[in-house]
Amino acid sequence: MQDSKHYSSEQRVMPLIAETAVSGTAYSFDMLFSYAVPDKLRESIVCGCRVLVPFGKGNKRRIGVVMKLTEGEKKGLKSLVSLVDDEPVISEELLRLALYVREHTFCTYFDAVKAMLPPAMSVSAKETFRLVKNFTDISSLSPEAANLLEILSGTAGSKELNELIEKHIIDKGRHLPDELCDAGALDSDNVFRQAVGDAAVRMVRLSEKYMSAPESFELTPKQKKVADFLSEFGSAAVREAAYMCGVTEAVVKRLCANGAAEEYEAEVLRRVEGDAEEKRSPQDIVLSDEQQRAHDAVLAQLFERKPAVFLLHGVTGSGKTSVFEKLIDDTVKMGRQAMLLIPEIGLTPQILKRFRSLFGERVAVIHSGLSLGQRLDEYKRIKRGDADIVIGTRSAVFAPLNNIGLIITDEEGERSYKSDSSPRYMTHDIAKQRCAYHNCVLLLASATPSIESYYLAERGAYRLLEMKERYGNAPLPEVSIIDMNLEREAGNRTEFSRRLAEEISLNLKNGEQSILLLNRRGYHTIISCCDCYQPIYCPNCSVPLTYHKKNNKLMCHYCGYVSDPVEECPSCGSKHLKNMGFGTQKLEEELSTFFPSARILRMDADTTFSRYSYEKSFKDFREGKYDIMIGTQMIGKGLDFPDVTLVGVLSVDKALYAGDFRSYERTFSLITQVVGRGGRGERKGRAILQTFIPEHYIMNLAAAQDYKGFYNEEIAIRRAMIFPPLCDMCIFCFAGGEDFTVKVGADAVLRLMNNKLRELQPKTPVRVLGPVRCSYGRINGKYRYRIIMKCKNNAEMRGYISDILTESAKLKEMKGIALYADMNGDVGV
């Protein structure tokens, strides 16, 4: 890419053209748009800078990013309006990476670049106008422009002038204001505002006026609930108040607008805080023989300075983190930088604490749980070189490091490494591209690697490293599979088998901790009609509502819909309703009944509102302030609690039949990982796996921690059914407001796909399946269909997919229907 800095005027004999990624475009007409660079910007513009550009027939102002600079004729080209940044916000490497992301994820150029910047760096432009005094060249203006100038000259002041021009631009476009500016009758300035973000939490409390005279306020019933809640508790986060009162945040805002309450910001330091352990030295880390062999293999590759991918398969508790610590220390001693990616925000405090005890302030952290200001400040630290070790979740893979030596992806089989929104990238793919650019090493690690990664390791594309023993020769937990059918036959109607209840009692008696996994939040998961047998569905989604006892509301976990408990069936009007299902809230209540002296910690999406909830709760549990931790899958992986000797898995049967070909893989991984949380200290661990299908081979293989046995079974099924990794899979996803029209649109795209396939005659086989309704056919008011295409992810097929997305936008059947393509996405959603 061409950098225009330091060119002399003699060298610039040709006009300069900026190839620009423009915001707000749709994929169907997205491209790099060419703009002429004005002479006043030639000395300062470089690739990677943001610019303000005129776009479309109305020349609306939009933010863009300069991707390339070339010399050429500028005849007919619009000119850049102004430069947003004094220096590039994105490096040459990441600009190249953006082109890769755009090609492989079918997003727009601007979306690809935007994903690489912290949200706080997004900018908006405010244009202000002023009349030029003593302008006399009226004859040079068109009659329409002269008329507008006369109207503007009669305005009372700057505010009225700008409001009038803004209204004119909205109603009639920019043609006349631009003519006045070009003629010198108007001057304009652009002020750019960057969303730096508040290093604070939005809080709400009652106003003094309401506190002194509540009867003078006319509140709606929902507003009254919020007011009563705040009267009792004083203040709360806006989100927390809305949840506890079963209302939306808009209700809280209207309460503030009425003067009954007021929002304020609770100050939060922009530095990413964390409890530091005592200062440690990497030299004090003692590796076992297995750990040392894995470490030495990767270190040898680091010295070669050639890109390579390793897969470290180590059983739970084998000490993979110690290997990471030694390798990162080796990397920074070589003068290079390191990156450690983790799948869940909840793991960050524990990991950050360990690494800061070793490397201090050289460690930066990036994840979505930080405030906008914190993320921005961490980004700046990395870019300046103040931090050479980056720890974070998926988005940290784009950290602005300029000399990477090592990228580690822990728990690499987790699907959270796949982005579900545009750009729909896979973190591993981005990491490989960065490794190729920096000639560095990618280390993928997990006790339960993805089938795709293990397949590539078996074929030699990755180098396989194995650690089969727990650190210190600690034994794996002894796992018992409990048949819940026999429990029901014996008259046990609770969610606890008799064996699990006994083991919990034993742990409480011995002062040891327990973890219970139930991957369903809420109280009752279904409210069903006894007459028509229909569950109470969300009005916006084809998903049953979940009852939450904490706030006495029915809630949809997909669109956020909230309602009061219903007393009659919406389908048939019957009042015979039955509460069914069992969530973490009910589990917490029953545990308190069975074990009244137990101190119970619940960890799910309903108890982790703030960004510090994970850290505080896990810290309290580690310090022994709780006896039992219950939660969803967020507690299943990566956590290390030495005093946990019992793990109970209450129900994962439903996950086996989630409608996705990865269902078995996810279930096996979840069971294996959560069982591995036990027995990590000096005392031996036990695990109880409750199931209604005890004969299922997934249950038995997970209980035995037999990943290789599971892999052999799973790869045989995928080979027979032709699923990844034996092929690649692209999901075309359709969404619209009417079921019939979405189906018609999907059928039309299918015809287009078949016609183009006949023209293309690809070199590799292609199978197209569908269209079919998605597993959840309606989400947030949108009906959803999908077409599944089994293919090979090569340039030929990516070009074909891009053509389908572009040409489908022109089909009359696709009017009002959204379509996107997701390479290797999930099919069971």
Side-chain angles (χ1 to χ4, degrees), residues 757-819:
L757 277 175
R758 282 191 287 269
E759 295 172 11
L760 182 64
Q761 294 184 340
K763 298 173 185 176
T764 54
V766 176
R767 296 189 181 186
V768 180
L769 309 173
V772 296
R773 186 179 281 106
C774 295
S775 300
Y776 296 129
R778 188 170 179 244
I779 294 291
N780 206 13
K782 300 293 185 182
Y783 292 91
R784 305 158 70 240
Y785 281 77
R786 63 176 178 240
I787 294 174
I788 299 172
M789 185 174 74
K790 297 180 180 180
C791 58
K792 185 173 179 60
N793 186 358
N794 55 26
E796 180 184 43
M797 290 312 302
R798 290 193 296 272
Y800 165 80
I801 294 167
S802 180
D803 289 345
I804 294 297
L805 293 175
T806 301
E807 295 182 25
S808 64
K810 304 171 186 175
L811 297 174
K812 64 180 186 298
E813 295 91 342
M814 286 294 292
K815 185 177 181 181
I817 298 173
L819 168 63

Side-chain angles (χ1 to χ4, degrees), residues 90-388:
I90 192 164
S91 66
E92 179 182 348
E93 178 216 350
L94 293 181
L95 283 177
R96 293 184 180 186
L97 185 59
L99 300 179
Y100 170 89
V101 170
R102 202 262 182 185
E103 179 188 348
H104 285 75
T105 69
F106 314 106
C107 67
T108 65
Y109 285 106
F110 190 84
D111 280 348
V113 174
K114 185 179 177 182
M116 301 176 185
L117 297 173
M121 287 188 68
S122 62
V123 294
S124 57
K126 177 69 175 176
E127 189 174 17
T128 57
F129 296 88
R130 61 181 178 275
L131 289 169
V132 176
K133 294 180 179 179
N134 304 321
F135 175 77
T136 57
D137 193 11
I138 305 294
S139 60
S140 65
L141 301 176
S142 66
E144 295 84 358
N147 183 53
L148 177 60
L149 180 59
E150 184 178 351
I151 295 171
L152 296 177
S153 299
T155 55
S158 175
K159 183 178 180 182
E160 185 180 345
L161 173 75
N162 279 279
E163 287 176 350
L164 193 60
I165 296 176
E166 185 176 348
K167 185 177 187 306
H168 179 91
I169 291 174
I170 293 172
D171 295 341
K172 300 178 181 180
R174 297 188 57 95
H175 175 68
L176 295 182
D178 284 348
E179 182 181 341
L180 292 175
C181 288
D182 292 341
L186 276 179
D187 269 347
S188 69
D189 290 315
N190 291 288
V191 178
F192 300 103
R193 182 179 179 184
Q194 179 166 297
V196 175
D198 300 317
V201 177
R202 284 194 309 131
M203 303 288 286
V204 62
R205 62 193 171 201
L206 293 175
S207 65
E208 290 186 11
K209 187 176 179 182
Y210 180 87
M211 300 267 284
S212 59
E215 67 281 353
S216 64
F217 288 83
E218 294 185 10
L219 303 182
T220 66
K222 289 184 177 180
Q223 291 172 353
K224 187 67 169 61
K225 281 186 180 180
V226 178
D228 291 344
F229 173 79
L230 294 175
S231 177
E232 181 178 355
F233 294 99
S235 64
V238 171
R239 182 184 173 197
E240 185 177 8
Y243 173 78
M244 293 305 297
C245 298
V247 300
T248 63
E249 291 186 22
V251 174
V252 181
K253 288 184 176 296
R254 287 195 294 271
L255 187 69
C256 296
N258 290 343
E262 57 189 15
E263 281 192 34
Y264 67 98
E265 293 181 342
E267 184 179 355
V268 178
L269 293 176
R270 288 166 67 106
R271 183 181 179 277
V272 183
E273 299 288 353
D275 293 324
E277 292 180 345
E278 271 187 42
K279 187 69 178 172
R280 297 188 297 144
S281 170
Q283 283 70 40
D284 296 335
I285 300 171
V286 179
L287 301 182
S288 67
D289 291 342
E290 277 192 331
Q291 290 173 317
Q292 193 67 50
R293 283 193 293 271
H295 166 271
D296 292 347
V298 178
L299 182 60
Q301 189 66 37
L302 282 172
F303 280 119
E304 287 193 23
R305 292 182 177 257
K306 292 181 180 178
V309 182
F310 290 85
L311 176 62
L312 175 58
H313 176 214
V315 299
T316 55
S318 57
K320 294 183 286 293
T321 305
S322 295
V323 177
F324 301 162
E325 291 170 338
K326 291 288 280 186
L327 285 171
I328 288 175
D329 180 54
D330 295 328
T331 302
V332 296
K333 282 179 178 175
M334 294 168 65
R336 306 189 75 184
Q337 299 160 325
M339 184 187 300
L340 172 59
L341 303 176
I342 53 181
E344 295 282 352
I345 294 173
L347 301 178
T348 310
Q350 178 175 299
I351 293 292
L352 186 60
K353 182 177 179 181
R354 286 190 62 157
F355 278 82
R356 279 204 169 148
S357 71
L358 286 170
F359 304 107
E361 292 304 311
R362 300 174 70 178
V363 179
V365 60
I366 297 176
H367 61 74
S368 60
L370 304 179
S371 72
L372 295 180
Q374 285 175 320
R375 291 180 73 177
L376 179 63
D377 288 352
E378 291 295 280
Y379 177 89
K380 289 177 180 177
R381 288 181 61 222
I382 298 165
K383 194 171 183 180
R384 288 197 304 258
D386 295 341
D388 48 15

Side-chain angles (χ1 to χ4, degrees), residues 496-512:
F496 304 96
S497 63
R498 290 163 293 180
R499 172 72 182 280
L500 179 58
E502 291 170 0
E503 295 291 345
I504 293 174
S505 296
L506 181 61
N507 261 31
L508 291 171
K509 180 181 177 181
N510 294 337
E512 298 171 3

